[in-house]
Structure formats: structure tokens, C-alpha cells
Amino acid sequence: MKSFINVQDIGDIQKALAEAQEIKNDRFKYQHLGKNKTLMMIFFNNSLRTRLSTQKAAMNLGMNVIVLDVNAGAWKLETERGVIMDGDKSEHLLEAIPVMGCYCDLIGVRSFAGLTDREYDYAETVLNQFIKYSGRPVFAMETATVHPLQAFADLITIEEHKTVERPKVVLTWAPHCRALPQAVPNSFAQWMNAADVDLVITHPEGYELDPKFIGNAPVEYDQKKAFEGADFIYAKNWSNPGVTNPADYGKITSKDMSWTVDTEHMSWTNNGKFLHCLPVRRNLIVTDDVIESPNSLVIPEAANREISCSVVIKRMLEAL
């Protein structure tokens, strides 16, 4: 595996899930693969779970790890071509990327959407420069449009806690005080479409995700109807994707608090389990009682980030 961005990169889902369980049973089984190899993790944005879980996964596999926070201690990087660099950015990404590649064997990149230029974000401009110029295998630690390590961990969690062969999984929008990217819901929809689940997506009208991620998954604008009989509820805010109205891209066009997941919402489900990628704004996305309930899986879900990342790094090391 030379790159890891979308669900297609992981190949057979059932084989990937079986590999995840194998690694979970013995996290140090493949330490020999990473001996004398170095992972470089590059962060253009803040992180807690991604930073910790990815570093832990790489260490489990015997790797050395270099963490570069671009916004703290590094030169400010220019990402645009053709710019006269007479501002506060001292180095261009096109020189920085191949230099980074000199010092490592694998590269993980975290770079969020700017939420002002949909074409630029959805072209994955920053990530694709790393793939093109680093000379190293590259995996996404959340990008402008996707967060595959999170979605893989979500799927592992669902597989571990499902009580029926083909569970109903609902991806629900919830309100937020800030404009957030669509990366998490995009990847969640993409991975659930590839898995053996019944996916339903619910959100206010106008918040439609890009069709290339949701595929044929049904969209239900009535949240209560969507929740009925659900086995898993995955709550996540996203800003307007600009699909129906490009001028709305990256904007907050709804703050409807009736979409906050509370006990009444969960009562509509089939004793449903609650999922969220974290960090979560309590009593905006979800109420205290729901996230603290026995049916909340947010901590096991976060723990599985180490496992999903271990599978990905293992496969990339095997391909070196």
C-alpha cells in the first residue's frame, strides 16, 4: 500500500477487520517490520487522538517517530504556486516536502480544509503535493475532505459491538458553534457504504454531502424517522458542503438545537449505541447523559484509533 486516503486503499474490508483483531490481540507481533524505519508525522492542525494513536501504533511496530508541528517551531510554509514570497512565509512546501522525505520512510499528513475555496479543498491540494514530491508512502491523518483512520476505527468499533448481522447505522448532523470540515462525515459515509451495514444519513436540508462519498445511501431529512430502529448513532457536525449552493460552502447555515442528540433522540433507536469521533462539544452535539451512558462507545472508539493506524502502517511497511 503506497498511500492511504480512501476506503478503496484498504482493499477487502473483512480482511482488514480480521487483521485489526489480530493486531489487537498482539500489538507487538510485527515489531520487526519497523526496525530502523522512521515515520514522520506532519501536523498543519491541532490533534490529540490522531497524534497519540499514530505515534503509539508506529512504536508498537518498532518504528522511530518524528513529529513536526508546522505551526510551532518550523518555518511558516507557503502552499501556493506563483506567489511572490514577500510575506511571513519563509519556505515553500515544494522544497520542504522533498527535504522531509530525506529523513523518513513513511509520512503521515494532517491538513484541514480552509472552508473558503471548495475547489481547492476538494482537490486535496496539500496532501497531493506530499504524494507527488516526497518520494515516500503517504497516509492521511485527516485532510481537507477525508479522515480514513477515524472511519476505519469507527468500523472496528461497530463490528465489535453489533448485536445483529447487518446493523442499522445512522450518521446524523448536529449543531455546532464553529464551521467544521466535512472530512469525518465524508469518510464515515464512504466506509459504511463499503461495509455490511445499513447506512442512513440525516441532516437539515441544504447540508448534503458530496455524492462521491455518500454513494447510494439514503438521506432522511426527518431526524426522528432516521433514528427509528437504529443500532448505532454517529453524531457529527459539518459546515455546509456547498453541494446544493456553492456560495454556502464552509458556512453555518443552521444552528437548529433540536438536532442535538439527547435521551429522547436515543429512545427512538433500537437501544442504539452512541458514537462520536471526539473532541465533542457537550450539550451542542450530544447531551451529558447520552455521552456518559452505558451505550456510549466514544472511549472504545478512540482506543481503536491505535488499531486502525497499526493496520495501515503495517501494510505500508510490508510494501517498502
Side-chain angles (χ1 to χ4, degrees), residues 263-284:
T263 301
E264 181 183 357
H265 285 70
M266 296 303 292
S267 73
W268 304 333
T269 71
N270 179 32
N271 194 31
K273 305 293 194 297
F274 178 80
L275 296 163
H276 188 278
C277 61
L278 302 181
V280 66
R281 299 267 185 154
R282 285 179 174 230
N283 303 306
L284 275 177

Side-chain angles (χ1 to χ4, degrees), residues 38-71:
T38 299
L39 168 66
M40 181 173 287
M41 300 163 57
I42 300 160
F43 291 88
F44 289 85
N45 301 93
N46 295 336
S47 174
L48 189 149
R49 275 148 298 279
T50 297
R51 183 180 298 237
L52 297 178
S53 63
T54 306
Q55 187 164 355
K56 181 65 164 59
M59 292 167 65
N60 290 352
L61 291 163
M63 298 191 77
N64 303 309
V65 181
I66 299 172
V67 179
L68 176 64
D69 187 336
V70 172
N71 298 313

Side-chain angles (χ1 to χ4, degrees), residues 147-158 183-184 186-192 234 305 308:
H147 197 352
L149 290 172
Q150 179 65 53
F152 187 13
D154 298 334
L155 180 57
I156 294 168
T157 308
I158 289 170
V184 169
N186 282 346
S187 279
F188 185 78
Q190 186 185 57
W191 282 70
M192 292 304 113
Y234 195 98
R305 290 292 307 279
S308 66

Side-chain angles (χ1 to χ4, degrees), residues 27-305:
R27 297 171 197 237
F28 306 103
K29 182 177 181 179
Y30 296 100
Q31 270 193 330
H32 61 282
L33 292 175
K35 184 178 181 181
N36 298 327
K37 299 289 194 304
T38 299
L39 168 66
M40 181 173 287
M41 300 163 57
I42 300 160
F43 291 88
F44 289 85
N45 301 93
N46 295 336
S47 174
L48 189 149
R49 275 148 298 279
T50 297
R51 183 180 298 237
L52 297 178
S53 63
T54 306
Q55 187 164 355
K56 181 65 164 59
M59 292 167 65
N60 290 352
L61 291 163
M63 298 191 77
N64 303 309
V65 181
I66 299 172
V67 179
L68 176 64
D69 187 336
V70 172
N71 298 313
W75 298 114
K76 288 189 177 181
L77 296 176
E78 179 58 66
T79 61
E80 298 281 357
R81 286 181 174 272
V83 174
I84 297 174
M85 292 177 57
D86 60 355
D88 65 342
K89 296 177 180 177
S90 305
E91 186 163 8
H92 202 287
L93 207 58
L94 294 180
E95 285 78 59
I97 290 172
V99 168
M100 294 174 193
C102 293
Y103 307 140
C104 64
D105 300 280
L106 303 180
I107 295 177
V109 180
R110 184 176 179 92
S111 178
F112 291 174
L115 296 179
T116 57
D117 184 337
R118 189 180 194 280
E119 184 177 351
Y120 181 89
D121 287 344
Y122 273 70
E124 290 290 4
T125 307
V126 173
L127 177 68
N128 283 325
Q129 288 184 81
F130 276 91
I131 292 171
K132 186 174 182 179
Y133 298 113
S134 70
R136 302 298 181 196
V138 175
F139 62 92
M141 301 192 301
E142 188 170 1
T143 69
T145 67
V146 293
H147 197 352
L149 290 172
Q150 179 65 53
F152 187 13
D154 298 334
L155 180 57
I156 294 168
T157 308
I158 289 170
E159 185 72 13
E160 290 176 333
H161 292 87
K162 69 181 184 181
T163 57
V164 295
E165 188 62 29
R166 187 177 173 86
K168 179 180 178 180
V169 178
V170 177
L171 169 61
T172 181
W173 179 92
H176 203 281
C177 53
R178 296 178 57 201
L180 299 183
Q182 298 99 46
V184 169
N186 282 346
S187 279
F188 185 78
Q190 186 185 57
W191 282 70
M192 292 304 113
N193 277 325
D196 190 21
V197 307
D198 288 323
L199 174 66
V200 176
I201 302 172
T202 185
H203 54 70
E205 293 192 45
Y207 270 81
E208 290 77 12
L209 296 166
D210 193 301
K212 73 179 181 181
F213 295 109
I214 67 170
N216 295 320
V219 176
E220 174 55 67
Y221 298 112
D222 184 328
Q223 193 185 29
K224 183 175 183 180
K225 188 178 294 185
F227 275 46
E228 289 175 354
D231 299 292
F232 295 91
I233 299 296
Y234 195 98
K236 184 69 180 78
N237 174 267
W238 60 90
S239 61
N240 198 301
V243 172
T244 56
N245 185 0
D248 287 337
Y249 175 65
K251 295 180 180 177
I252 298 174
T253 51
S254 175
K255 292 185 178 180
D256 188 348
M257 292 290 289
S258 71
W259 285 76
T260 300
V261 179
D262 60 15
T263 301
E264 181 183 357
H265 285 70
M266 296 303 292
S267 73
W268 304 333
T269 71
N270 179 32
N271 194 31
K273 305 293 194 297
F274 178 80
L275 296 163
H276 188 278
C277 61
L278 302 181
V280 66
R281 299 267 185 154
R282 285 179 174 230
N283 303 306
L284 275 177
I285 300 289
V286 58
T287 56
D288 291 333
D289 51 348
V290 171
I291 198 169
E292 294 175 13
S293 77
N295 278 15
S296 174
L297 297 177
V298 296
I299 303 305
E301 184 183 3
N304 277 329
R305 290 292 307 279

